[in-house]
Amino acid sequence: MFNIEEELKKLPAKPGVYLMHDDKDEIIYVGKAISLKNRVRQYFQSSRNKSSKIEQMVSRIHRFEYIITDSELEALVLECNLIKEHRPRYNTMLKDDKSYPYIKVTVNEAFPRVMMTRNMKKDKSKYFGPYTSGLAVKDTLELIHKLYKIRTCNRNLPKDIGKERACLNYHIKQCNAPCQGCVTQEEYMESIHKIIDFLNGRYDEILKNLEKQMYEASACMEFEEAKEYRDLINSIKHISQKQKITSEEQEDRDIIAMASDSEDAVIQVFFVRGGKLLGREHFHMRIGSQDEQGQILSGFVKQYYAGTPFIPKELFLQEHIEDMELLEEWLTAKRGQRVYLKVPQKGQKEKMVELARKNAELVLAQDKDKIKREEQRTRGALGEIEELLGLSHISRVEAFDISNTAGFESVGSMVVYEDGKPKRNDFRKFKIKNVKGPDDYASMKEVLTRRFTHGLDEMRTLEEKNISSDMGSFTKFPDLIMMDGGKGQVNIALEVLDELRLDIPVCGMVKDDFHRTRGLYYNNEEIEISRNSEGFKLITRIQDEAHRFAITFHRDLRGKKQVRSVLDDIPSIGPARRKALMKHFQSIETIKEASVEALKEAEGMTEGAANEVYKFFHS
């Protein structure tokens, strides 16, 4: 039994991170401290200065744990990682989890490629961005390939030059085919240098050359060619016009400001790269009514820059924030170069921050109704389900379904919803191993037994290794299990939980004669739900998603089974040759149409085996 008073006495006066757990062992708050002893004890001392949010959080603390670090900076880094990992309920949380596109130039290759990526790595490539629109990146890449005709393939050049035929891009004049030796490495690199200039916003020379080529083509009465040059010029102008000049200093900086009310905050970020405003984005924050602007902005900086791959030289902020110097030190370490956090007081820089603040206010006003509707259809809907079932604190819901065709390839699905939203990374598929024939009850028992046994085994393994149980893929158990069906399926689930000594509420999602959701079966009675309620709509979404996920998995397996059975019926074709044929020809139809000579080209195919395949499809 965890005794809070006794554990408080053991706290060290050292820097570190503390994690607060509720009675379900869920992490509800993560914080850092210069002195763990002083900071954690403050939560449990009577004080008038505590906000209602903190008081509510403290009332739910069942136990706490802490991790000692060597410095406050290490504590900050660990705090950021743990908040991102666990998304605690009482931390000021960034609602959006976006990753932004970048343009990557693989200058470490002999014949570099230019592509879109959402992950910035230390691989000696050049990265440009972030861009706020994936569509804008695609348009830019399309223009680059039209202008400079560089490769898009993954061939290992110059090693593979001449080994394979040129691809379609060469024939439609979208690539100069370095894979065929049609362009030297020096000529190719000249194009790459021009692309880098282009991505850095230096368009004047490019436009001048294109205009010259357009007039020359027109003078020679090559009007189609002149039209192509004109279209390229218009595309470049369109891209360049999106980039408003904001500074003559040509620095990379993010301009950050916010607007808030008692429940929500909107953070507006302007992305300035090389002195040009490349884009802007807004983010919604989950806050408490008494959270101050400095706290909210500090929480945003920690969470956003812990995840984004690019950190600019400067961050312009609306006001001073908590841990400003410490955050500068942290961001400098992440960037590898000095980072400055500034609060402009006058001039053009202050006006840009004010513009960002006005944009945040506008977004907050426009999105307020949208945010409320989203809250009603997620957390609000869960609240309705809690009330119907007489439960509380439902966050994670797991729903299960079985799919088969006359017992063929029975499969199970597990879909997960957290706070009313699907958590697709936690969805799981189960191929039924021990049940023969169309027995949905036995299949469901196998799925549930495997799911929770796996979770318990993972927990024990992680505990033995002294690793947090949150690191396991099955260790997080649901607050509510929803079965696709009524009394029978619910009883199967309760039987499995009883055998494993687990106490988790189970309800069934009951359907009417037209296969539409009708209500819930819980504690041996059916509960009617208003069809117009958000709770009913959420139940329907969960049930449909569980069914869709199972059907999709079953269809995939059935398709693979049919493909395998056709080739397995051919003498001399075992697993290795079957795999080689499919890899070489990509489809059964192509194999059917192939000649004996073509079949022999697949790896491991002898003339005898090729003849067997040909006879099978043509006899």
Side-chain angles (χ1 to χ4, degrees):
M1 184 70 179
F2 191 90
N3 187 316
I4 289 178
E5 289 298 324
E6 288 299 316
E7 294 300 324
L8 286 173
K9 296 175 185 177
K10 300 175 185 176
L11 285 164
K14 292 183 178 181
V17 173
Y18 53 92
L19 300 89
M20 305 299 196
H21 294 253
D22 64 8
D23 57 357
K24 294 181 180 177
D25 215 30
E26 178 187 346
I27 296 170
I28 59 174
Y29 189 79
V30 173
K32 66 164 182 60
I34 300 175
S35 169
L36 287 165
K37 182 177 183 178
N38 295 340
R39 185 72 187 96
V40 177
R41 289 175 70 175
Q42 286 176 359
Y43 287 102
F44 301 95
Q45 294 170 350
S46 37
S47 169
R48 294 180 182 177
N49 297 325
K50 283 183 194 164
S51 67
S52 56
K53 175 179 154 185
I54 293 297
E55 285 183 348
Q56 186 184 33
M57 185 267 287
V58 172
S59 70
R60 295 188 60 181
I61 295 173
H62 185 70
R63 72 177 182 91
F64 62 80
E65 59 178 315
Y66 53 88
I67 303 167
I68 296 170
T69 60
D70 288 331
S71 67
E72 191 182 1
L73 178 60
E74 283 187 15
L76 172 68
V77 174
L78 184 56
E79 179 197 30
C80 292
N81 292 337
L82 290 172
I83 288 174
K84 186 178 179 182
E85 174 71 24
H86 300 292
R87 301 188 66 80
R89 180 171 307 204
Y90 287 97
N91 282 90
T92 300
M93 285 302 304
L94 181 62
K95 290 185 179 181
D96 311 74
D97 189 15
K98 301 175 182 176
S99 60
Y100 289 95
Y102 291 77
I103 290 178
K104 174 180 178 179
V105 184
T106 60
V107 292
N108 53 316
E109 295 180 327
F111 290 86
R113 293 165 293 152
V114 182
M115 64 190 77
M116 183 173 79
T117 182
R118 291 183 184 271
N119 297 307
M120 197 180 227
K121 301 175 182 176
K122 292 182 179 179
D123 56 3
K124 297 183 181 178
S125 296
K126 280 187 177 292
Y127 290 86
F128 299 85
Y131 297 85
T132 55
S133 165
L135 185 60
V137 172
K138 288 175 184 175
D139 288 344
T140 303
L141 289 175
E142 186 178 336
L143 177 58
I144 284 170
H145 287 108
K146 282 181 180 177
L147 281 170
Y148 300 107
K149 299 177 173 48
I150 59 167
R151 71 187 183 110
T152 58
C153 65
N154 293 321
R155 294 178 187 178
N156 185 0
L157 303 182
K159 182 182 176 183
D160 291 342
I161 288 179
K163 286 189 177 180
E164 295 181 43
R165 290 179 296 179
C167 66
L168 179 63
N169 283 345
Y170 170 70
H171 297 290
I172 62 173
K173 298 182 180 179
Q174 289 284 306
C175 178
N176 284 330
C179 62
Q180 303 302 308
C182 296
V183 59
T184 66
Q185 187 175 352
E186 289 74 21
E187 290 168 334
Y188 191 92
M189 286 306 298
E190 190 177 330
S191 294
I192 293 297
H193 293 318
K194 289 178 180 177
I195 289 169
I196 291 170
D197 283 344
F198 177 85
L199 291 171
N200 279 320
R202 294 191 276 274
Y203 305 120
D204 293 344
E205 191 67 31
I206 299 165
L207 286 169
K208 195 183 294 181
N209 289 335
L210 286 174
E211 284 175 357
K212 181 183 176 184
Q213 289 171 297
M214 179 180 70
Y215 290 130
E216 287 176 354
S218 180
C220 296
M221 303 188 73
E222 299 285 348
F223 298 118
E224 282 296 320
E225 189 177 342
K227 180 179 177 295
E228 288 180 13
Y229 288 127
R230 185 201 66 190
D231 292 343
L232 288 173
I233 290 166
N234 289 337
S235 296
I236 292 171
K237 286 180 177 178
H238 178 69
I239 286 173
S240 64
Q241 283 167 2
K242 289 182 179 179
Q243 299 182 342
K244 175 185 172 185
I245 296 291
T246 60
S247 169
E248 294 179 0
E249 299 170 11
Q250 296 192 345
E251 294 287 6
D252 292 340
R253 63 170 60 107
D254 288 352
I255 298 166
I256 305 169
M258 64 166 286
S260 64
D261 57 20
S262 59
E263 298 173 346
D264 297 289
V266 169
I267 311 290
Q268 181 78 49
V269 184
F270 288 169
F271 301 109
V272 178
R273 300 293 179 263
K276 296 181 176 68
L277 177 61
L278 290 187
R280 62 179 186 175
E281 192 58 86
H282 65 268
F283 302 84
H284 291 282
M285 297 284 287
R286 185 182 76 207
I287 65 170
S289 59
Q290 294 173 304
D291 285 347
E292 297 177 357
Q293 284 197 163
Q295 292 176 306
I296 298 166
L297 282 171
S298 178
F300 171 78
V301 170
K302 290 177 187 177
Q303 292 170 53
Y304 177 69
Y305 292 100
T308 188
F310 181 81
I311 298 170
K313 182 179 179 180
E314 297 176 331
L315 270 59
F316 285 179
L317 302 171
Q318 180 178 355
E319 62 178 69
H320 287 274
I321 63 174
E322 293 181 339
D323 305 318
M324 199 148 169
E325 291 181 6
L326 189 64
L327 286 169
E328 273 192 349
E329 189 181 347
W330 171 58
L331 292 171
T332 296
K334 278 181 70 71
R335 184 172 187 259
Q337 291 177 295
R338 190 77 169 88
V339 176
Y340 300 89
L341 272 62
K342 300 178 179 178
V343 182
Q345 300 295 325
K346 59 182 180 179
Q348 183 66 22
K349 295 173 181 178
E350 190 274 334
K351 286 179 182 176
M352 286 301 296
V353 174
E354 179 62 15
L355 183 62
R357 185 191 65 78
K358 288 178 179 177
N359 275 269
E361 284 184 346
L362 184 64
V363 171
L364 183 66
Q366 290 174 339
D367 285 4
K368 193 64 185 171
D369 289 340
K370 180 182 173 182
I371 292 168
K372 282 185 177 177
R373 286 196 302 271
E374 180 66 12
E375 187 70 17
Q376 286 170 351
R377 72 188 293 273
T378 54
R379 277 301 320 167
L382 271 183
E384 290 179 14
I385 294 170
E386 286 175 349
E387 191 173 339
L388 283 167
L389 303 179
L391 300 171
S392 60
H393 303 311
I394 297 176
S395 173
R396 182 183 175 96
V397 175
E398 291 182 5
F400 297 84
D401 192 16
I402 298 293
S403 176
N404 64 63
T405 303
F408 175 81
E409 290 287 5
S410 291
V411 299
S413 69
M414 171 183 124
V415 300
V416 179
Y417 277 64
E418 284 195 358
D419 294 325
K421 299 177 184 177
K423 191 176 182 185
R424 301 192 187 280
N425 286 345
D426 285 7
F427 284 18
R428 293 292 183 269
K429 303 168 182 175
F430 299 85
K431 187 175 178 181
I432 305 302
K433 299 176 180 178
N434 304 317
V435 179
K436 304 298 181 185
D439 190 336
D440 282 359
Y441 287 166
S443 296
M444 183 59 77
K445 183 172 183 179
E446 179 183 324
V447 167
L448 292 168
T449 301
R450 282 165 58 188
R451 183 266 177 268
F452 290 106
T453 301
H454 192 164
L456 292 168
D457 289 344
E458 269 193 358
M459 280 183 188
R460 281 190 286 269
T461 302
L462 292 171
E463 283 174 7
E464 287 170 5
K465 295 180 179 179
N466 199 25
I467 300 173
S468 168
S469 62
D470 293 319
M471 297 300 290
S473 59
F474 274 101
T475 53
K476 195 169 185 182
F477 285 178
D479 304 307
L480 176 67
I481 296 171
M482 303 187 89
M483 307 298 296
D484 185 47
K487 183 177 180 179
Q489 293 285 18
V490 169
N491 286 340
I492 287 292
L494 291 172
E495 182 184 329
V496 171
L497 294 174
D498 186 54
E499 288 175 2
L500 298 174
R501 297 183 180 179
L502 293 173
D503 183 18
I504 303 171
V506 183
C507 69
M509 299 176 285
V510 185
K511 291 185 177 180
D512 60 20
D513 295 336
F514 299 98
H515 212 65
R516 296 176 303 197
T517 305
R518 185 176 72 205
L520 293 177
Y521 181 82
Y522 183 65
N523 281 350
N524 294 316
E525 63 175 300
E526 188 173 319
I527 303 169
E528 290 187 8
I529 312 174
S530 168
R531 288 184 176 272
N532 297 320
S533 70
E534 292 296 339
F536 178 84
K537 293 172 186 174
L538 176 59
I539 293 164
T540 303
R541 288 197 297 274
I542 292 172
Q543 190 169 31
D544 289 346
E545 185 66 6
H547 187 60
R548 181 203 65 79
F549 197 55
I551 287 287
T552 303
F553 182 38
H554 182 251
R555 190 181 296 129
D556 290 344
L557 281 181
R558 196 170 60 220
K560 289 175 183 176
K561 186 77 173 179
Q562 288 166 351
V563 167
R564 285 199 303 271
S565 64
V566 172
L567 297 178
D568 283 344
D569 288 340
I570 306 173
S572 305
I573 301 301
R577 281 178 175 160
R578 181 183 68 228
K579 185 177 178 181
L581 283 168
M582 289 303 297
K583 183 178 179 181
H584 187 83
F585 292 99
Q586 301 296 312
S587 72
I588 293 293
E589 289 303 315
T590 313
I591 295 172
K592 284 181 182 178
E593 294 167 5
S595 65
V596 173
E597 290 302 314
L599 289 166
K600 283 164 60 180
E601 291 178 7
E603 186 179 349
M605 289 293 291
T606 62
E607 185 165 355
N611 276 314
E612 291 286 358
V613 174
Y614 187 84
K615 286 177 186 176
F616 181 84
F617 287 116
H618 294 86
S619 58

